[in-house]
Amino acid sequence: MRLAFLGHAGFLLETARAIVVLDPWLSPHGAFDSSWFQLPQNHHLAAWVREKLSDPSKERYIYVSHEHRDHFDPVFLASLPTDQITAIVPFFKRSAFRTEMSDLEWRRLVLCKDEVEIPFADGAIRIYVSDSTLNRDSALLVRSTTGSFLDLNDCKIHDRLEAIAKAEGPITAFSAQFSGAIWHPVRYDYDERNYNLISKKKMFSKFEAVARAIKTLSPRFFFAAAGPSCFLDPELIHENFKKVSIFPRAPAFFRFLEKRLGNIATRFVEPMPGDTLDLQSGEWIQQAEGRLTDENFEEYVRAYAERMAEPLAARRRNISQAECREIVHRLETVLQEKLDRLKLRDRIHMPLFVKVEEIPDEILRVNFVESRIDRVDSIPEEGRHSLTAKAIDLLPLLDRKLTWDEFLLSLRFTMSRKPDVYDAVLHGFLAIEAEDLPAFCEHILAAESRQERMLVQIGDRRFSVHRYCPHQGADLSAAWIEKGRYLVCPRHRWQFDLENEGKCTFNDCSIRAIEEPREVELDAAAPEVQLRADA
């Protein structure tokens, strides 16, 4: 089995009788309102992938992991001979993604729930689905007689990797997102010192999670993929060149791995689009002539931005004051609809102020507790959340060309919260479509209702804690311990302080930790785990 890298999170697997293409993002118009672009540029591979998927002598499959446009490229997919290809799609509660995929008229569309296996001519494909309503994603494992490839991409199932390794045996090649893909702290109004501290913490937290995944799976090869993208819009391009960033490139991650994992057998690979690995022989063929390096990175990105200048300029136009005021009115209507559907709105105690930059005298104040929206002319310094965006950047959202999640990923806004405390319900209110908010609230309540507990052994101390993370339900038996007291969730790396009743270190969530005296006989039904401590 040969594994070709297509850029970003895209791969092409080829066996003697089959071709499987994963998350091909090859269109040149970018994602999330043209804010993200593939790094390195990979548009030249579109014709080659089309040619591969037009070969009638082989079974042909397309797998798309989730609906984010840096993975799901409907423009490129529509250019394929879809009537000859089987599409593999994870089944999520939200129907919009599978409806869009169905509209492409595939020869066959396979909707997969968690751990569904699909046989093909030279092996099998297994899908792992994670759907918390706030995050929807999936991972894929392809097995053949000559090797296997586990592609985690953005899917946060780190708490399941040990079980997957036991069930599936040795993994030849592994890939997982190691670089950030979020708007915090990027779009928040932190001073430079706090911004750098938060960015470093998030970056190393992500690095640690993937390092532990590599250690658990012990693959022969690890591919640095699924990010980072690059930002070519003149208003965003500076994000590429920050010394401290949540969007690190592979060399920084590999330096971390060399210190963290030492002399591990896994080979770390930073592929360029078109590079190919033979999973059986280990032969690595580098197709790209010019490699992207730390030394030429800025020059490369600026030249790339010049090539994309025309399509980026096309998204801009002047908007009149009257149009801007209409946008404020439309935004108020949309926010009220979301507010009406947010069952847990009384948990958000600070108001949210939403401002269209061009209309500073009509700010929307979202009062969650009283379930209403007022118009005010200023934003207080303390005790509030705020979001500000330009009218032109809100239009695709209001015209339903972008979802709220996609708008936030576009980074075309600024945010602030004082005090600086993360609120999971507010996050859901902002990122989720109005029609999906009831399911989001039900998911939170269901996660909170899980009262199973486990015993955590740290040295000669034992703590009784909730087994499942209150955030999105991750199994904490796969967590680890940092600094002898902090239990870290394997999915989103939330820290819970066992010496402070299991409270989260940056919000009011808790796993209700109770230290148990050694002489007390404990409930035999509660599983006891020895969590891994700091390396």
Side-chain angles (χ1 to χ4, degrees), residues 152-389:
L152 218 59
N153 59 72
D154 304 357
C155 191
K156 297 175 177 65
I157 56 169
H158 291 77
D159 53 323
R160 299 173 59 185
L161 290 181
E162 192 167 340
I164 290 171
K166 288 178 180 177
E168 301 295 342
I171 301 294
T172 311
F174 172 53
S175 184
Q177 182 194 64
F178 67 92
S179 189
I182 192 65
W183 53 92
H184 178 266
V186 186
R187 304 312 298 163
Y188 283 70
D189 66 343
Y190 295 116
D191 59 45
E192 184 177 4
R193 178 180 178 277
N194 280 324
Y195 179 87
N196 288 343
L197 286 172
I198 294 167
S199 296
K200 282 182 179 180
K201 183 175 181 180
K202 290 177 78 77
M203 180 184 73
F204 285 118
S205 172
K206 188 87 166 181
F207 283 4
E208 175 64 17
V210 182
R212 287 176 179 269
I214 293 169
K215 193 170 183 179
T216 297
L217 295 168
S218 298
R220 285 180 63 195
F221 299 91
F222 171 79
F223 280 81
S229 59
C230 63
F231 310 101
L232 304 181
D233 189 303
E235 295 186 1
L236 297 172
I237 195 168
H238 62 278
E239 296 292 348
N240 300 294
F241 311 127
K242 288 183 175 178
K243 290 183 179 180
V244 180
S245 172
I246 66 163
F247 308 118
R249 291 182 47 253
F253 181 47
F254 291 169
R255 288 191 290 271
F256 172 87
L257 290 178
E258 287 167 4
K259 292 181 180 178
R260 172 66 177 82
L261 299 180
N263 191 27
I264 192 171
T266 300
R267 178 178 172 184
F268 307 135
V269 179
E270 181 187 11
M272 290 281 288
D275 289 352
T276 303
L277 172 70
D278 187 307
L279 294 184
Q280 184 173 24
S281 68
E283 181 187 14
W284 175 243
I285 302 172
Q286 294 187 345
Q287 300 283 7
E289 294 181 3
R291 314 298 290 184
L292 186 61
T293 66
D294 286 342
E295 289 72 26
N296 68 13
F297 172 70
E298 183 167 350
E299 179 185 3
Y300 181 95
V301 170
R302 293 197 182 280
Y304 190 179
E306 288 182 13
R307 295 193 293 272
M308 296 293 114
E310 188 173 337
L312 282 167
R315 65 173 296 279
R316 289 285 172 188
R317 69 175 177 84
N318 292 324
I319 298 182
S320 68
Q321 279 285 298
E323 212 176 342
C324 288
R325 291 193 184 278
E326 176 60 22
I327 286 170
V328 174
H329 174 72
R330 292 176 64 190
L331 187 58
E332 181 178 12
T333 301
V334 170
L335 289 170
Q336 185 65 59
E337 181 187 5
K338 297 184 83 173
L339 187 58
D340 291 342
R341 296 193 182 203
L342 187 70
K343 181 178 179 181
L344 301 178
R345 56 183 174 268
D346 60 348
R347 295 189 179 189
I348 306 175
H349 302 296
M350 291 199 301
L352 168 68
F353 292 82
V354 181
K355 182 170 75 172
V356 177
E357 191 172 298
E358 295 87 342
I359 309 293
D361 59 336
E362 290 193 42
I363 302 167
L364 302 176
R365 182 183 188 273
V366 183
N367 185 326
F368 293 95
V369 176
E370 297 182 18
S371 189
R372 74 167 195 266
I373 298 176
D374 302 311
R375 294 201 184 193
V376 298
D377 59 9
S378 64
I379 299 175
E381 181 61 28
E382 298 290 341
R384 49 68 177 170
H385 309 275
S386 70
L387 183 150
T388 302

Side-chain angles (χ1 to χ4, degrees), residues 61-131:
Y61 299 85
I62 284 276
Y63 160 74
V64 182
S65 60
H66 62 297
E67 70 263 43
H68 282 166
R69 261 37 183 192
D70 59 323
H71 297 257
F72 172 38
D73 184 349
V75 174
F76 173 72
L77 296 181
S79 75
L80 300 173
T82 55
D83 60 341
Q84 303 171 36
I85 299 169
T86 296
I88 300 171
V89 180
F91 183 90
F92 299 129
K93 299 180 187 78
R94 187 170 191 265
S95 62
F97 173 48
R98 60 180 180 270
T99 298
E100 277 196 88
M101 284 293 289
S102 298
D103 289 345
L104 292 168
E105 299 182 354
W106 304 94
R107 183 183 74 85
R108 181 181 171 220
L109 182 72
V110 183
L111 292 174
C112 300
K113 294 190 175 182
D114 188 37
E115 296 208 32
V116 163
E117 184 166 287
I118 303 156
F120 69 96
D122 296 310
I125 299 167
R126 185 179 292 276
I127 307 298
Y128 303 94
V129 179
S130 176
D131 185 357

Side-chain angles (χ1 to χ4, degrees), residues 450-489:
R450 300 187 75 175
Q451 298 298 308
E452 297 101 314
R453 294 180 68 80
M454 68 179 186
L455 299 170
V456 176
Q457 181 82 40
I458 305 174
D460 61 355
R461 304 172 73 186
R462 286 189 297 181
F463 294 86
S464 171
V465 302
H466 283 314
R467 177 169 177 171
Y468 296 98
C469 181
H471 179 213
Q472 291 186 20
D475 187 345
L476 297 179
S477 67
W480 63 86
I481 300 297
E482 291 181 350
K483 299 180 180 178
R485 65 184 287 183
Y486 299 109
L487 183 146
V488 182
C489 175

Side-chain angles (χ1 to χ4, degrees), residues 389-404:
K390 293 180 179 178
I392 189 67
D393 297 326
L394 287 163
L395 265 180
L397 171 67
L398 297 173
D399 290 340
R400 296 188 72 87
K401 294 177 181 177
L402 290 179
T403 65
W404 278 87

